[in-house]
Amino acid sequence: MNESYEIDPELLSFLEAKEAEDYNRMLTVVARLSRAGKERELDGICTALDMPALSDTAEKKASAITDQLLLQQKFDGGRLR
């Protein structure tokens, strides 16, 4: 299985934002990927967030990811540290 796969710049942008804990940027990237219908990249985000693989549409995946990010933002926020 020698399938070549080039990493989408949006996915790289998400991973950089995740490293910086920039939730607004992560949410923006998820919204852009959803509008573009990029399910493969959204699957990659699910993996990066340790979420189960979703077999829904790009829109439903993005919604689940957004919910997860908002939850993480709430509990990782500075006021709880």
Side-chain angles (χ1 to χ4, degrees):
M1 190 167 172
N2 282 335
E3 183 178 332
S4 176
Y5 178 69
E6 189 171 316
I7 297 176
D8 188 289
E10 290 288 358
L11 181 55
L12 288 175
S13 179
F14 177 88
L15 295 173
E16 290 169 357
K18 183 178 184 300
E19 183 72 25
E21 295 184 11
D22 184 346
Y23 288 96
N24 290 330
R25 188 167 149 208
M26 285 188 277
L27 291 166
T28 300
V29 170
V30 170
R32 284 195 302 251
L33 290 171
S34 174
R35 284 192 300 273
K38 295 188 173 186
E39 291 188 46
R40 188 172 189 170
E41 286 73 13
L42 291 168
D43 288 339
I45 289 174
C46 286
T47 300
L49 296 174
D50 291 326
M51 293 177 61
L54 305 169
S55 60
D56 291 322
T57 64
E59 194 173 90
K60 288 183 181 180
K61 287 178 188 183
S63 178
I65 292 167
T66 297
D67 291 345
Q68 178 69 24
L69 288 172
L70 291 173
L71 184 65
Q72 285 181 357
Q73 183 179 30
K74 178 179 177 180
F75 289 103
D76 287 347
R79 69 174 192 263
L80 295 175
R81 289 183 183 195

